[in-house]
Amino acid sequence: MRPAPLLFVILCFAVLFAGPGRVGFTDVREARDAGVAREMIQRREPLTPVWVGDAWFEKPVLAYAPEILAASWSHGSAERSREVRAAMALALLLLTASIGARHFGARAGWCAAGVLVSMVALPLAARTDGTQVLGTLLGWAGAAGLADALFGRREGRDLRLVVAYGALGAALVTAGPLPALWPLGGLWLFATLARRPEALRDARIGAGACVMLGLAIPWYGAMIQRYGAPFVAHAPFFPYATEPRGAWYSGPLLALSFLVVGAYPWSALVPEAMLHAATWWRFSRRRDAGPRPAARARDAAPGDALGREAREESAAHFFIAMLVAALIPVALYPGPPLPAALPALPAAALLCGRLLDHAFEDAERLARSLRVAARMLAVTGTVLAIALAVVAPRIREAAPELRLLAAVVFGTSWLPALADVAGRRRAAAALFTLPVALGAPIVTARVLPEMEDYVNARSVALALNHTAPRQAPVAVLGAAAPSFRLYAKHNVVPVTDAGVALRTLTAADGHAYVAFTPAREGDIARSAGTPLEIVMRTPSLVLARVSPVNVAR
């Protein structure tokens, strides 16, 4: 096996496939998606996502297909579910490598895939947000088809466009309108900034829209007929339509910050990669710059080196437009999580892969870019390591593991800068992969198992299953954590009045079981009128029981 594919396989195993079953489903999105899939299977409901017995308008129905597949395969195993999502992430990586190889060369393609797999947001999305991984895969399948139609050979263009619009139509019923439409927004942005109006005509958007609507209308039409206005109000904001809305002016800042954090550690190199890719775009505005890259690409003869360079420059500009367009939905989503920035990261990875490919050809020509990025990574890595070291004493269960992670982040963040000082430019570029390549297995194998009680309620649910009689009701103050509902084999009853719940929700053993956050323990004790018998206490949830005869009336 050649070195590049071998290193890629090692990175994928360390980041995506190492220890997927060490902890149970985590709140909020992962456990809730698994719960929706379980209810759809139990109710034999093929069209409407269902959560706690009600229609759930968070995302389209096909978003739950991976969870339904994993649940059918392994009866609700978190390990199998994460392996399915990791396989989808691997498919996204291979697609990114294919796009890079097609437009920038094979080495650039492998570099782009290596960059993407060592960005923070990809393993995070693979562990917590499978919908975003699948939506990003389909969206980039569409973007790849559009890029091939613009910069590839004319032979087979129609077939490539059919595949592209078919993928975007599938994205409509998997992740929603915004994840399906941002590639078209990127195409429009590229055509406008590059002054190529014929790009919109070559993409045949009208016919493509018909393909997309033909795939999406059956499900959307059935849901509108069933639920009407409530469904229509949620649909534009899939796949995060149930989250509370933030201030509108925070959207652009959120999108930029998500890109910086999600692309870490490569966010230090992304600005330099964009400047490197925008060289001809910037110079083409000058009167004496000669023909623009797009014009030179169209007029070049086959095999002409200048034409190949122009096509590469024009493709780089296309991916800059795609990066910007992919961040626009983040600014529009209500309360998006960090994985919402995932669609922008393949574009950033492709731009970084192109720069790295040029660095391997002539490292000294790009010495300044690598030096600036390495120093920026050293600074941000130091800040992150200090933050982890400060937080560690406050989380006693995982303090040693967090200190280990801080040490790894600090050391790996400085290695590229030290390699650059030693004049090893290519080594400095390769060492950018280490913060995530070494940090992700530590988080998976050591940090999360010690912090499981902070990220889910599985231990409390298992304690309830072991202690309470079969089918005993359990009162939960406020909204029940999705992981508690998922693992508890009892009747979970959300309540607002603890006194009434303790008097009326009695199990066969004569006790009333109640779950609450640690901050509510004093209120529960006063409502009970007697000392609580604590069955299980965790940092996020407490399980107690009390005899109803002692409850204050």
Side-chain angles (χ1 to χ4, degrees), residues 29-334:
R29 220 158 253 101
E30 187 184 27
R32 191 168 59 200
D33 287 353
V36 171
R38 183 173 69 177
E39 289 200 41
M40 291 178 68
I41 293 173
Q42 292 174 347
R43 295 171 181 271
R44 301 178 183 270
E45 174 56 67
L47 288 179
T48 305
V50 181
W51 176 238
V52 197
D54 296 325
W56 185 247
F57 303 140
E58 181 185 31
K59 59 188 74 172
V61 66
L62 289 185
Y64 300 100
E67 293 296 335
I68 292 174
L69 174 64
S72 302
W73 177 21
S74 60
H75 304 290
S77 165
E79 182 177 7
R80 295 293 174 265
S81 174
R82 290 173 183 148
E83 286 174 348
V84 171
R85 281 177 263 142
M88 294 190 300
L90 178 60
L92 177 62
L93 292 170
L94 295 176
L95 176 61
T96 303
S98 174
I99 295 171
R102 185 171 184 85
H103 297 287
F104 303 136
R107 182 169 57 190
W110 285 116
C111 287
V115 168
L116 182 57
V117 75
S118 55
M119 288 180 172
V120 164
L122 183 67
L124 178 63
R127 290 300 174 97
T128 63
D129 198 347
T131 302
Q132 192 58 257
V133 177
L134 184 55
T136 301
L137 175 62
L138 294 171
W140 271 96
L146 295 175
D148 286 347
L150 294 179
F151 311 115
R153 295 188 300 271
R154 292 186 178 275
E155 296 82 4
R157 173 181 295 179
D158 291 344
L159 178 60
R160 291 194 294 272
L161 286 175
V162 168
V163 174
Y165 287 115
L168 295 181
L172 265 175
V173 289
T174 299
L178 290 176
L181 294 178
W182 70 257
L184 299 181
L187 174 65
W188 174 85
L189 185 62
F190 168 76
T192 301
L193 295 179
R195 292 178 288 182
R196 285 191 61 181
E198 74 279 2
L200 298 177
R201 183 182 65 252
D202 293 343
R204 302 187 181 181
I205 294 179
C210 292
V211 173
M212 295 171 63
L213 291 175
L215 292 173
I217 281 178
W219 182 74
Y220 280 89
M223 293 295 288
I224 291 172
Q225 183 181 17
R226 278 189 176 188
Y227 303 104
F231 173 79
V232 173
H234 285 82
F237 303 107
F238 287 160
Y240 305 113
T242 59
E243 301 298 329
R245 291 201 64 83
W248 65 268
Y249 52 80
S250 65
L253 180 61
L254 194 66
L256 181 59
S257 61
F258 275 16
L259 175 64
V260 173
V261 176
Y264 179 84
W266 293 98
S267 50
L269 189 62
V270 170
E272 295 296 326
M274 293 179 69
L275 289 173
H276 179 67
T279 298
W280 280 105
W281 199 339
R282 182 172 65 252
F283 289 169
S284 68
R285 302 297 185 186
R286 299 180 180 177
R287 292 181 180 179
D288 58 347
R292 289 175 287 124
R296 291 187 287 110
R298 291 195 304 270
D299 298 338
D304 182 11
L306 183 62
R308 289 197 302 272
E309 179 184 350
R311 282 192 293 271
E312 181 179 316
E313 291 284 353
S314 196
H317 303 161
F318 177 81
F319 293 128
I320 291 177
M322 286 293 171
L323 188 154
V324 174
L327 288 175
I328 293 175
V330 180
L332 301 177
Y333 285 140

Side-chain angles (χ1 to χ4, degrees), residues 15 34 68 92 126 194 214 245 295 389 415 486 522 551:
V15 174
I68 292 174
L92 177 62
R245 291 201 64 83
L415 285 178
L486 189 65
V551 176

Side-chain angles (χ1 to χ4, degrees), residues 338-421:
L338 179 59
L342 183 62
L345 299 191
L350 287 165
L351 297 171
C352 289
R354 178 173 179 262
L355 184 146
L356 294 176
D357 179 46
H358 292 174
F360 281 113
E361 288 180 356
D362 186 356
E364 293 305 317
R365 183 168 68 92
L366 294 169
R368 189 200 67 82
S369 296
L370 293 174
R371 184 178 301 114
V372 170
R375 291 176 179 177
M376 181 61 68
L377 176 60
V379 172
T380 56
T382 300
V383 172
L384 178 58
I386 292 173
L388 288 170
V390 170
V391 169
R394 302 183 181 184
I395 306 177
R396 291 177 297 174
E397 299 87 347
E401 288 73 18
L402 288 173
R403 293 192 186 98
L404 172 63
L405 181 61
V408 170
V409 169
F410 179 80
T412 55
S413 297
W414 276 92
L415 285 178
L418 296 176
D420 178 74
V421 170

